[in-house]
Amino acid sequence: MRDPELATRRVSTERDVDRQIADDPALAPYREDLVEILLGFWLEADQKSAIIAATVWQIVEHTIVVANLAVLDGERQSPASVESELAALERNLSRPEEIDVGDRDVRLVALPAGRAVRLRWLTGTEPDDDGSTLVLDGVSYWVPVPGHAAMVVLNGSTPCLPFADELAAAFDSIADTLEFIL
């Protein structure tokens, strides 16, 4: 989990990575890379004002699998009506963006927290200095909070495309546990 204190974040991240390495020594050669990946994700979560941010990494079939999950505070366009909000989300999220590298799958879903819009996406990152980009596969849920002008956004992503369907199923399982206690 992300340490909210910037002053201790590197140390706490290194400690978390070391704990993971103790459980899975095969990760040891990747320690520095894992620390930097995590610090980058934590910075991105800070920039998006994430309420919660978590990541998982493990070796599967001789490949490091990394996935991120963030819970964000979203803005509603139609705070007076959940149905209007869902319709607007479905319409707006169906529009492709320049960085998309695959079709968007947008649908209305029922969660314990209420009706929501689920988006499965495949997108590229902004080019690095060398011109390379990273392709991310992800699942996002936009969940209006009933009776409030607030929205919760769950955003899970991975650059590990061979495992993307399995990770999307894991993100879906997490979304299926979301409930609002108001």
Side-chain angles (χ1 to χ4, degrees):
M1 294 289 279
R2 170 184 62 156
D3 183 343
E5 298 297 325
L6 290 176
T8 58
R9 185 174 288 169
R10 177 171 285 279
V11 170
S12 63
T13 300
E14 289 172 344
R15 185 178 55 241
D16 289 345
V17 169
D18 290 339
R19 275 192 219 126
Q20 187 71 24
I21 289 170
D23 291 341
D24 186 357
L27 291 170
Y30 309 103
R31 182 186 185 277
E32 294 308 313
D33 290 336
L34 291 170
V35 168
E36 293 308 316
I37 288 168
L38 287 170
L39 291 173
F41 177 60
W42 301 151
L43 178 61
E44 181 182 341
D46 288 345
Q47 292 168 344
K48 293 180 178 179
S49 301
I51 299 165
I52 297 171
T55 191
V56 62
W57 64 93
Q58 63 187 50
I59 295 180
V60 177
E61 300 172 14
H62 307 291
T63 302
I64 293 182
V65 177
V66 177
N68 303 312
L69 178 69
V71 179
L72 309 166
D73 185 17
E75 288 187 35
R76 287 183 56 175
Q77 295 177 8
S78 301
S81 166
V82 169
E83 292 307 313
S84 295
E85 186 70 38
L86 293 171
L89 282 166
E90 193 173 23
R91 184 176 52 255
N92 292 337
L93 293 173
S94 294
R95 293 184 190 123
E97 293 186 10
E98 262 186 54
I99 59 174
D100 287 351
V101 294
D103 293 333
R104 291 171 162 233
D105 177 17
V106 179
R107 60 179 91 154
L108 289 172
V109 296
L111 300 174
R115 290 174 27 112
V117 175
R118 177 190 185 271
L119 167 65
R120 176 82 186 264
W121 46 269
L122 188 66
T123 189
T125 61
E126 293 294 323
D128 284 340
D129 293 338
D130 65 359
S132 65
T133 61
L134 182 65
V135 175
L136 298 171
D137 191 311
V139 176
S140 300
Y141 283 86
W142 278 262
V143 189
V145 179
H148 295 273
M151 182 168 352
V152 171
V153 180
L154 281 76
N155 190 53
S157 65
T158 183
C160 304
L161 301 184
F163 300 95
D165 289 338
E166 293 170 62
L167 291 165
F171 298 141
D172 291 339
S173 294
I174 292 168
D176 284 337
T177 67
L178 179 66
E179 292 184 57
F180 295 121
I181 301 171
L182 306 171

